[in-house]
Amino acid sequence: MSIAIVGGTGPEGSGLALRWARAGETIIIGSRDAQRALKTARQLSASAGADKTISGTENRFACSDAEIVVLTVPFAAHAETLKHIKPSLRSGQILVDTTVPLAASVGGKPTRTLGVWQGSAAQQAAELVPEGVIVVAAFHNLAAELLQQEGAIDCDVIVCSDDKDAGKRVRELARKIPGVRALDGGKLENARVVEQITAVLIGLNIRYKGHSGLRITGLPETAYEN
Amino acid sequence: MSIAIVGGTGPEGSGLALRWARAGETIIIGSRDAQRALKTARQLSASAGADKTISGTENRFACSDAEIVVLTVPFAAHAETLKHIKPSLRSGQILVDTTVPLAASVGGKPTRTLGVWQGSAAQQAAELVPEGVIVVAAFHNLAAELLQQEGAIDCDVIVCSDDKDAGKRVRELARKIPGVRALDGGKLENARVVEQITAVLIGLNIRYKGHSGLRITGLPETAYEN
């Protein structure tokens, strides 16, 4: 199984790529610029270890080779990128959307979000992918700075999808990042809230100088196993 | 200093009342029905200990005697209650809004929220209180079931307000609940997100049979002290 990271040269995408490569996943870094993708892939390979498989190519090529496509572009490029990769997506693929519609996308504050007509970036994605491509919203609340470092990450990942099997697969992927626990956040529409939590975390980061995340408390241990 | 709990006969209000009474605060339970308020006050006194001060009266009377007014009514009664207590509120008072605009208020799901024109219940409250009354949004994510039990609560409280001093006072109040840590969530407008987190937590409770809460990670210890 290989994972394409669309926008994989950015901080969130390269951080996820690094963590998954270390866990033994086959990673394809996607970028608008194939040369930049290759450069990032080489840098990440150096960090992840020589036996790890990280390649780099243009976004569209990255998608056609992958079983799971992870979208990690800024919201300003969200719709445009989805339209661009659409011809390379096929029924049965999972598209993991990590995008947060921060107001910073249009020159506003990173502590505010934009209203997306469909309700969330993930729901916008669901409208833009070909039929049969399953959208899963996840990883919004994982700080890129922490992904790029070594060590366990003290954060839970809330996964939202209308497809139970795809959600489960993405939770398994989340658990490959040391420290991360993954939870079923219910339907894709719940990404509305999970995306926006990021704006609050960014505010806390600014106020308190940290890289905040969140842990859900009060659930049985079995909640994190499946 | 005394704290009026408007809607204090409900699960969230009586839970907060119990915790604060145990911490030595003077509590006035408010209800539309003075007799019900008195009854709840007596029950809570029995739980909290004979030396604790919990009285009960009609919402409006409760407010006029208090320095801090905590609003814990369902969203369906939010605007109406604020209009009702308005004549009893005065400049300098702090109104703590705990309300979550759940879609259940209008017969919808408790895992969904309503769009509030002002952006959040707390911002609606800010529009309905007399001038000089300071609105602080807090306690949305604390499960009533846990408040009503003994023992520490494994949850952080994110406090949002446009008034720094009032926010600090409410954070101090939050820290009187064993286990609770309090954080400055920034301006009142950020209640938009904090309120909605509750809908996600309710979804997790239904899915996993728990009483979920949240902890913010990745911040320096000093973040929780002030």
Side-chain angles (χ1 to χ4, degrees):
Chain A
M1 193 194 79
S2 59
I3 304 167
I5 319 263
V6 172
T9 58
E12 186 81 8
S14 59
L16 287 168
L18 183 64
R19 297 299 187 135
W20 285 326
R22 280 191 188 139
E25 300 291 329
T26 303
I27 305 294
I28 313 163
I29 296 292
S31 170
R32 281 177 300 180
D33 178 344
Q35 290 307 312
R36 283 192 61 207
L38 269 170
K39 193 180 159 198
T40 299
R42 271 194 296 265
Q43 288 167 342
L44 292 173
S45 295
S47 300
D51 58 324
K52 307 302 183 189
T53 321
I54 310 178
S55 59
T57 182
E58 197 277 334
N59 279 327
R60 212 182 265 185
F61 292 113
C63 293
S64 53
D65 284 346
E67 281 145 79
I68 294 184
V69 173
V70 183
L71 187 62
T72 65
V73 298
F75 183 66
H78 185 258
E80 192 192 333
T81 304
L82 282 162
K83 286 173 196 165
H84 176 72
I85 64 172
K86 189 172 180 178
S88 300
L89 298 177
R90 61 184 182 280
S91 183
Q93 267 181 328
I94 295 174
L95 181 103
V96 182
D97 197 342
T98 73
T99 313
V100 178
L102 297 176
S105 321
V106 294
K109 294 189 180 186
T111 56
R112 287 176 170 169
T113 57
L114 297 173
V116 181
W117 191 263
Q118 296 86 343
S120 60
Q123 288 168 288
Q124 175 169 282
E127 219 178 79
L128 292 170
V129 294
E131 212 180 312
V133 173
I134 304 153
V135 175
V136 178
F139 305 111
H140 311 88
N141 307 325
L142 281 185
E145 294 82 356
L146 299 181
L147 285 170
Q148 293 173 327
Q149 296 168 14
E150 306 268 333
I153 297 185
D154 192 6
C155 192
D156 288 349
V157 167
I158 301 173
V159 178
C160 302
S161 179
D162 295 337
D163 185 294
K164 284 193 177 291
D165 291 336
K168 188 166 186 282
R169 245 178 119 186
V170 173
R171 292 199 295 280
E172 286 161 6
L173 208 53
R175 292 186 189 115
K176 299 200 172 186
I177 303 169
V180 166
R181 301 186 308 181
L183 285 167
D184 178 3
K187 295 203 173 201
L188 193 67
E189 63 179 32
N190 296 342
R192 292 172 199 212
V193 184
V194 183
E195 290 175 4
Q196 297 201 30
I197 292 172
T198 307
V200 169
L201 296 179
I202 291 171
L204 292 170
N205 292 346
I206 294 170
R207 217 166 293 117
Y208 294 118
K209 319 264 177 261
H211 300 301
S212 61
L214 84 167
R215 290 290 196 191
I216 301 296
T217 60
L219 298 180
E221 273 308 306
T222 50
Y224 302 98
E225 287 163 12
N226 212 288
Chain B
M1 193 194 75
S2 60
I3 304 168
I5 319 262
V6 171
T9 58
E12 185 82 8
S14 60
L16 288 169
L18 183 64
R19 297 300 187 134
W20 286 326
R22 281 190 187 139
E25 301 291 328
T26 302
I27 304 293
I28 312 163
I29 296 291
S31 170
R32 278 177 302 180
D33 177 343
Q35 290 308 312
R36 283 192 62 208
L38 268 170
K39 193 181 160 198
T40 299
R42 271 195 296 266
Q43 287 166 342
L44 292 173
S45 294
S47 299
D51 58 324
K52 307 302 183 189
T53 321
I54 310 178
S55 58
T57 183
E58 198 276 336
N59 279 327
R60 211 182 265 185
F61 292 113
C63 293
S64 53
D65 285 347
E67 280 145 79
I68 294 184
V69 173
V70 183
L71 188 61
T72 64
V73 297
F75 183 66
H78 185 258
E80 191 192 332
T81 304
L82 282 162
K83 285 172 196 166
H84 176 72
I85 64 172
K86 189 172 180 177
S88 300
L89 299 177
R90 61 185 181 278
S91 183
Q93 266 180 328
I94 294 174
L95 181 103
V96 182
D97 197 342
T98 73
T99 313
V100 178
L102 297 176
S105 320
V106 294
K109 294 188 179 187
T111 56
R112 287 176 168 168
T113 58
L114 297 172
V116 181
W117 191 264
Q118 297 85 344
S120 60
Q123 288 167 287
Q124 175 169 283
E127 218 177 80
L128 291 170
V129 295
E131 212 180 312
V133 173
I134 304 152
V135 175
V136 178
F139 305 111
H140 312 89
N141 306 325
L142 280 185
E145 294 83 355
L146 299 181
L147 285 169
Q148 292 173 327
Q149 295 168 14
E150 307 267 332
I153 297 185
D154 192 6
C155 192
D156 288 349
V157 167
I158 301 173
V159 177
C160 302
S161 179
D162 295 336
D163 185 295
K164 284 192 177 293
D165 291 337
K168 188 165 186 284
R169 245 180 119 181
V170 174
R171 292 198 296 280
E172 286 162 5
L173 208 53
R175 293 186 189 116
K176 298 201 172 185
I177 303 169
V180 166
R181 300 186 307 181
L183 285 167
D184 178 4
K187 294 202 173 201
L188 193 67
E189 63 179 32
N190 295 343
R192 293 173 197 210
V193 183
V194 183
E195 289 175 7
Q196 298 202 29
I197 292 172
T198 306
V200 169
L201 296 179
I202 290 171
L204 292 170
N205 292 347
I206 294 170
R207 217 166 292 118
Y208 294 117
K209 319 263 175 263
H211 299 302
S212 60
L214 84 166
R215 290 289 196 190
I216 300 295
T217 61
L219 298 179
E221 275 307 306
T222 50
Y224 302 97
E225 288 165 11
N226 212 287

